[in-house]
């Protein structure tokens, strides 16, 4: 069995774009539903932040890759998602249309970006430390564990000054790498609860079809039904991503082939690390 | 001896990172491993730390040492040659 994995927001974007009808169709949807010119990488009109650009870009490229795979008759037995990869994943399993997935990404991104208008937040990628010392560091500085990607790859999230201190302590404690990235919102933390009502309103605007392919959530590793989706979409922005548990659950379910459907290959690299630990 | 180790380091990179369709001859000895070169990132670097320790018993103790060691294949080979048990 195989699984299509939809990654979260990319950290950067390329400058060379595919020249084919599928990409042009996706770019057209992005223009109409997210008011964003993908090829020029600029907003049409007022727009929003650079992070929202990357979020829309990530969803668009995931959908484009999915269309190519589908055209080649490569279809998944399972769909998994990481963070904001849920939006293209919803289109891939038939719960939303591609147009809705792109629009949802944009609307959620704009909503999240408002949090960054009054405070400064950051994400911090820590490589090399184990979970326990990092949990202690997070607690020391009032920041949160946002991603449990492998036993040695984590993402922290919180207010920027606290994140800078937490990253410094992580390096002093022996992290192999600890870097911060600016973001609009402390994603995957309870702090996002501040805009829960707005998010609830966005997710209530859509009618979700029953997933045609098993869609595995990254919190509890359950297969999501249409009835679960509204709550899951809110909850996932306020709780950590448990990628390692998700990957192990998929392996235990008999999945042997994993295809990363989107920009970059982070999920593939996490899986490589987890595989190494499963073998030893 | 140094050339032999360099070839082994290239093979270690290919194996540890499961790079498909690449042979040691495709990797330049002095090209940067990160960014413009092989395009590796910190996830790859930690994988290489573990592989080097397993294969040669060589430790990369901290981030600052890692920055120097993972500059290129040659710097990896130099570090191994200097510290291997």
């Amino acid at each position: 069995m195989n699984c299509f994995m939809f990654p979260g927001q990319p950290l950067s974007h390329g400058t060379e774009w595919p020249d084919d009808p599928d990409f042009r169709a996706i770019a057209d949807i992005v223009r109409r539903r997210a008011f964003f010119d993908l090829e020029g990488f600029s907003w049409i009109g007022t727009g929003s932040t650079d992070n929202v650009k990357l979020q829309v870009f990530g969803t668009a490229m995931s959908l484009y890759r999915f269309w190519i795979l589908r055209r080649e008759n490569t279809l998944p037995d399972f769909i998994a998602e990481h963070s904001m990869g849920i939006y293209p994943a919803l289109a891939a399993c038939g719960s939303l249309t591609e147009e809705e997935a792109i629009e949802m990404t944009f609307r959620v991104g704009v909503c999240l970006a408002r949090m960054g208008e009054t405070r400064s937040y950051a994400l911090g990628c820590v490589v090399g430390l184990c979970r326990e010392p990092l949990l202690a560091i997070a607690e020391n500085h009032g920041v949160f564990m946002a991603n449990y990607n492998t036993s040695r790859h984590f993402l922290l999230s919180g207010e920027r000054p606290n994140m800078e201190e937490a990253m410094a302590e992580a390096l002093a404690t022996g992290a192999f790498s600890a870097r911060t990235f600016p973001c609009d919102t402390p994603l995957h933390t309870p702090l996002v609860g501040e805009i829960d009502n707005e998010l609830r309103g966005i997710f209530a605007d859509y009618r979700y079809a029953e997933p045609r392919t098993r869609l595995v959530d990254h919190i509890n590793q359950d297969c999501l039904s249409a009835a679960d989706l509204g709550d899951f979409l809110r909850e996932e922005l306020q709780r950590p991503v448990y990628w390692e548990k998700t990957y192990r659950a998929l392996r235990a379910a008999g999945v042997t082939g994993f295809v990363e459907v989107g920009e970059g290959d982070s999920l593939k690299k996490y899986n490589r690390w987890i595989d190494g630990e499963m073998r030893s | 001896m140094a050339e032999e180790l360099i070839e082994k380091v290239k093979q270690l990179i290919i194996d540890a990172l499961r790079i498909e369709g690449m042979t040691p001859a495709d990797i330049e000895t002095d090209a940067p491993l990160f960014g413009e070169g092989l395009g590796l990132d910190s996830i790859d670097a930690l994988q290489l730390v573990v592989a080097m320790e397993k294969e040669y018993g060589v430790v990369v103790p901290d981030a600052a040492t890692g920055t120097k060691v993972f500059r290129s294949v040659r710097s990896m080979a130099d570090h191994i040659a200097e510290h291997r048990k």
Side-chain angles (χ1 to χ4, degrees):
Chain A
M1 289 194 289
N2 74 350
C3 175
F4 281 9
M5 312 176 291
F6 288 83
Q9 176 193 326
L11 294 173
S12 61
H13 66 93
T15 49
E16 289 181 20
W17 305 100
D19 183 18
D20 61 49
D22 282 343
F23 181 76
R24 285 193 287 276
I26 291 284
D28 180 54
I29 298 173
V30 170
R31 261 190 300 276
R32 285 187 289 102
R33 303 297 285 260
F35 317 104
F36 183 57
D37 171 15
L38 205 48
E39 289 153 292
F41 221 75
S42 57
W43 295 112
I44 302 161
T46 314
S48 187
T49 65
D50 286 348
N51 274 300
V52 182
K53 285 181 180 175
L54 288 167
Q55 289 156 8
V56 172
F57 163 70
T59 294
M61 295 314 289
S62 283
L63 291 173
Y64 170 67
R65 302 259 153 77
F66 176 68
W67 280 8
I68 290 174
L69 288 163
R70 191 172 56 185
R71 202 178 288 287
E72 293 166 350
N73 284 324
T74 306
L75 292 168
D77 300 295
F78 285 88
I79 287 176
E81 44 71 38
H82 187 289
S83 186
M84 297 181 94
I86 184 63
Y87 310 123
L90 287 175
C93 72
S95 287
L96 291 179
T97 65
E98 282 86 352
E99 300 229 355
E100 288 170 326
I102 285 172
E103 182 189 272
M104 182 182 280
T105 307
F106 172 68
R107 291 182 67 192
V108 170
V110 169
C111 182
L112 294 172
R114 285 196 204 108
M115 278 189 82
E117 289 172 2
T118 50
R119 266 168 291 170
S120 175
Y121 297 103
L123 301 174
C125 179
V126 181
V127 174
L129 285 185
C130 305
R131 173 191 169 118
E132 283 69 24
L134 202 52
L135 278 168
I137 290 169
E139 198 176 329
N140 287 347
H141 298 282
V143 299
F144 299 87
M145 296 288 270
N147 291 181
Y148 294 83
N149 291 320
T150 80
S151 64
R152 302 285 177 144
H153 303 86
F154 300 93
L155 192 78
L156 269 61
S157 182
E159 292 199 34
R160 188 161 194 158
N162 300 349
M163 285 296 300
E164 301 287 356
E165 289 173 12
M167 293 297 104
E169 189 179 343
L171 278 175
T173 309
F176 183 73
S177 160
R179 292 170 58 206
T180 55
F181 303 94
C183 64
D184 301 326
T185 307
L187 272 178
H188 303 298
T189 75
L191 300 176
V192 177
E194 188 181 310
I195 53 168
D196 190 47
N197 280 341
E198 291 94 318
L199 292 169
R200 189 191 298 270
I202 291 173
F203 297 131
D205 280 345
Y206 298 86
R207 179 172 294 189
Y208 305 97
E210 210 54 60
R212 288 193 299 262
T213 307
R214 283 168 287 188
L215 173 63
V216 179
D217 86 73
H218 64 238
I219 300 174
N220 298 310
Q221 294 70 54
D222 293 328
C223 286
L224 294 165
S225 69
D228 299 327
L229 287 172
D231 286 340
F232 175 76
L233 287 166
R234 285 174 39 241
E235 196 183 348
E236 76 104 5
L237 293 168
Q238 301 174 44
R239 292 188 57 187
V241 175
Y242 294 98
W243 180 254
E244 176 167 12
K245 281 167 75 178
T246 304
Y247 178 66
R248 285 178 182 265
L250 287 160
R251 290 292 302 268
V255 177
T256 51
F258 290 85
V259 181
E260 189 156 356
V261 188
E263 280 296 290
D265 49 10
S266 301
L267 299 180
K268 200 169 137 191
K269 291 178 180 183
Y270 296 144
N271 296 353
R272 183 182 69 199
W273 180 270
I274 301 164
D275 280 338
E277 292 190 327
M278 286 169 79
R279 276 197 304 272
S280 60
Chain B
M1 184 63 186
E3 281 308 308
E4 191 185 328
L5 181 58
I6 280 171
E7 288 307 297
K8 284 184 176 170
V9 168
K10 290 179 180 178
Q11 191 61 54
L12 178 137
I13 292 171
I14 291 168
D15 294 342
L17 304 184
R18 295 196 215 160
I19 305 174
E20 290 168 8
M22 186 178 271
T23 67
D26 298 324
I27 302 176
E28 288 180 40
T29 304
D30 294 302
L33 294 175
F34 292 80
E36 294 166 9
L38 267 185
L40 306 188
D41 59 20
S42 58
I43 308 175
D44 297 314
L46 189 64
Q47 198 89 48
L48 293 177
V49 168
V50 173
M52 280 169 63
E53 188 166 357
K54 192 174 168 191
E55 189 69 26
Y56 298 103
V58 169
V59 175
V60 178
D62 51 47
T65 310
T67 304
K68 289 179 197 155
V69 171
F70 296 115
R71 221 167 259 162
S72 66
V73 168
R74 191 181 301 282
S75 60
M76 280 179 71
D78 288 345
H79 184 74
I80 291 167
E82 192 179 339
H83 295 94
R84 74 173 154 189
K85 293 163 185 168

